[in-house]
Amino acid sequence: MDLSRIRRLHANNVATFLKSPLSEISGSLGDLGTLLPLMIALAVNNSISLSTTLVFSGLWNIFTGVAFGIPLPVQPMKAIAAVAIARKFSIEETISAGFTTSGFVFLFSATGLLRWFTRVIPTPVVKGIQVGAGLSLVLSAGSSLLQPLGWTTPNAEDNLLWVLFAFVALLLTQKMQKVPYALLIFLIGLLLSLFAAGARNLPSFRLWHPTTFVPSWTDFKIGALDAGLGQIPLTTLNSVIAVTYLAADLLPHVPTPGVTEIGISVAVMNLIGGWFGAMPVCHGSGGLAAQYRFGARSGASIILLGSFKIFLGLLFGQSLIGLLREYPKGLLGIMVLAAGLELAKVGESLNYGARDLWEASDSTQGEQSEGGGLKHQRTLSDEERKERWTVMFMTVGFLLAFKNDGVGFVAGMLCHFFNQASKVWAEWESRKLRMGDRDSGARRTRQATTVEEEEEQLLLET
């Protein structure tokens, strides 16, 4: 890794934090709505080690903040987490699923397949994955976090009244970038969870003692087949390819990490942390959108978050479960909903500003590209804009209908393929028609020449 680049990113991290420290702290907490529910459920099931997860995910937060300089999240692999919670996986089965997904992602990265995927997957499909992931977060917030609540139930610390409060506060602060919304909501939620947990569930000093876990062949087979393989398309599309597109859209002034770098990062996190019982993690576009939405603009935000996680994991660990379990679902739900809408907004740039629409320009008007040349925005016809919207929404529709990124990806790619095939067919028909016209003209010319030759021959004979 280029040390000069790391020094530039470090300077940007420091400058950004000094300029708006509260925004960076607030943004670092933006992805808690995704992290906390899954991490707590897995820890309660004894499917992961909570203390080890906090320590290692904190280390990866710090590493990615330093190496990439953007608020890249470290969040649970959702497909694996869902299966592990439903099936009550052991730690060995859970980490086996993470090993499987990470092994394939490492293979894709090392062989250059990820770069090839990025080149051949059309932008409307990638945008569809991003918009679908955002809307999935919105639906998840409603169904699992907000819908079970009543106006005064389940308790005074977590109900729809608090949801209404958080939502109104969100609307009031959405144009006030300097107000650390996520930080304030986190602190309020922490106070409410302390009241709800009571003295018996307060965390206590419990020093981290790392333990290694070695899966048996049976554990590995269950984890790989039942959860790991299903996570591969989700991680490849949303946590690697889509996140690089989103980083370029949200933070154009910071060098965007390549898909190979992101892929290797995902692989290394799990191939190291898994042996100690850490939760399978990845980088997700939803988490990046969440942290950006609540103020994060540099790697400083997740370096702070990582340091806090390590502190909690080293000193309190498993004793945190009782307190975290009481954290208000309503407040988390509003944060997840806002993050999902922020991610879905990237679809707006599909037909204006998308990276595949910029072309090299010979004129003096245009934007400066990374390579030093000028670029200009390619103008789309109405038909092209309609086709791109159709491909994106086909991807979104199937992703939401089947709750599977892979299905949405296949649907979007097929839609794109048939659009291109129809264009090729129409062009071939037009070319065949033009060739037919030329052949007909040539035949008429030859016939006219033959008539003239016959007339000349008759004149000579007479």
Side-chain angles (χ1 to χ4, degrees):
M1 190 171 287
D2 188 357
L3 291 179
S4 63
R5 177 186 171 188
I6 291 180
R7 283 195 292 269
R8 290 195 301 272
L9 294 176
H10 173 69
N12 181 67
N13 288 342
V14 173
T16 304
F17 178 74
L18 293 177
K19 180 182 177 182
S20 50
L22 288 179
S23 294
E24 291 295 301
I25 296 172
S26 176
S28 71
L29 304 171
D31 196 33
L32 290 183
T34 300
L35 174 67
L36 288 184
L38 294 177
M39 184 176 69
I40 294 169
L42 288 168
V44 170
N45 269 358
N46 199 31
S47 297
I48 61 168
S49 167
L50 179 61
S51 55
T52 299
T53 295
L54 288 171
V55 170
F56 274 97
S57 65
L59 287 173
W60 305 136
N61 277 133
I62 294 173
F63 170 78
T64 53
V66 171
F68 301 138
I70 59 176
L72 197 63
V74 176
Q75 57 183 200
M77 288 186 173
K78 298 180 184 64
I80 290 178
V83 175
I85 293 168
R87 300 273 301 274
K88 296 189 182 299
F89 271 9
S90 66
I91 292 179
E92 290 82 2
E93 291 168 342
T94 304
I95 63 174
S96 295
F99 288 156
T100 302
T101 301
S102 300
F104 275 95
V105 171
F106 182 82
L107 181 65
F108 295 158
S109 303
T111 58
L113 279 173
L114 281 177
R115 290 195 301 272
W116 181 77
F117 289 157
T118 305
R119 287 195 300 269
V120 300
I121 298 174
T123 296
V125 174
V126 177
K127 292 281 188 184
I129 296 293
Q130 292 173 320
V131 174
L135 295 179
S136 294
L137 286 176
V138 173
L139 294 174
S140 173
S143 61
S144 62
L145 295 174
L146 301 178
Q147 196 173 16
L149 302 178
W151 286 108
T152 57
T153 56
N155 51 55
E157 293 81 17
D158 189 16
N159 51 56
L160 288 179
L161 292 176
W162 284 109
V163 171
L164 182 62
F165 164 78
F167 180 62
V168 171
L170 178 69
L171 295 179
L172 291 174
T173 59
Q174 63 181 345
K175 297 295 184 182
M176 304 162 63
Q177 297 297 327
K178 292 187 177 181
V179 176
Y181 174 85
L183 176 60
L184 296 175
I185 291 296
F186 172 75
L187 293 176
I188 292 172
L190 186 60
L191 288 174
L192 292 174
S193 59
L194 286 171
F195 280 113
R200 290 181 300 176
N201 290 321
L202 291 180
S204 58
F205 180 78
R206 191 176 297 180
L207 195 63
W208 178 52
H209 296 287
T211 304
T212 56
F213 297 87
V214 180
S216 65
W217 170 245
T218 302
D219 294 329
F220 184 81
K221 186 168 62 174
I222 292 173
L225 296 179
D226 292 355
L229 293 179
Q231 179 70 45
I232 294 171
L234 178 60
T235 296
T236 305
L237 296 170
N238 184 48
S239 302
V240 179
I241 296 175
V243 84
T244 59
Y245 273 70
L246 184 64
D249 289 340
L250 297 180
L251 302 161
H253 63 284
V254 182
T256 303
V259 289
T260 300
E261 296 171 297
I262 297 291
I264 290 177
S265 173
V266 170
V268 168
M269 289 192 299
N270 295 286
L271 294 176
I272 294 178
W275 297 106
F276 300 92
M279 176 179 64
V281 292
C282 60
H283 305 303
S285 56
L288 175 57
Q291 291 172 167
Y292 180 88
R293 169 64 181 80
F294 293 114
R297 296 294 184 271
S298 74
S301 61
I302 54 173
I303 292 174
L304 293 170
L305 176 63
S307 303
F308 185 55
K309 284 182 181 178
I310 292 173
F311 171 76
L312 292 177
L314 289 176
L315 300 182
F316 299 101
Q318 299 294 128
S319 68
L320 290 166
I321 292 179
L323 178 63
L324 294 177
R325 190 186 292 165
E326 298 297 332
Y327 199 90
K329 304 295 189 298
L331 301 185
L332 290 176
I334 292 298
M335 292 177 67
V336 173
L337 187 145
L341 294 177
E342 183 70 28
L343 179 55
K345 280 165 52 179
V346 302
E348 181 186 9
S349 64
L350 175 65
N351 290 328
Y352 184 80
R355 62 165 62 186
D356 64 327
L357 299 181
W358 290 100
E359 298 177 336
S361 175
D362 296 328
S363 66
T364 57
Q365 294 181 346
E367 289 196 4
Q368 194 77 15
S369 69
E370 291 180 6
L374 291 171
K375 290 188 174 184
H376 73 280
Q377 183 80 36
R378 179 165 65 90
T379 303
L380 297 173
S381 67
D382 290 341
E383 184 65 25
E384 286 177 313
R385 284 194 290 269
K386 181 179 178 182
E387 288 181 356
R388 288 166 68 89
W389 277 112
T390 301
V391 171
M392 186 182 79
F393 280 110
M394 189 71 72
T395 306
V396 172
F398 274 79
L399 187 154
L400 294 177
F402 288 88
K403 298 181 180 179
N404 188 300
D405 286 39
V407 174
F409 168 75
V410 171
M413 289 298 292
L414 286 174
C415 183
H416 174 77
F417 170 77
F418 279 104
N419 283 342
Q420 297 303 310
S422 64
K423 289 181 181 178
V424 171
W425 177 262
E427 185 177 346
W428 182 78
E429 286 285 336
S430 177
R431 186 180 302 172
K432 187 172 70 169
L433 185 60
R434 290 196 301 269
M435 291 178 63
D437 291 341
R438 285 199 298 269
D439 291 342
S440 177
R443 283 196 300 270
R444 286 195 298 268
T445 303
R446 285 196 298 272
Q447 289 173 357
T449 303
T450 303
V451 170
E452 291 175 358
E453 290 175 350
E454 289 177 353
E455 290 177 349
E456 290 179 1
Q457 185 66 30
L458 288 172
L459 287 173
L460 290 173
E461 289 178 356
T462 57

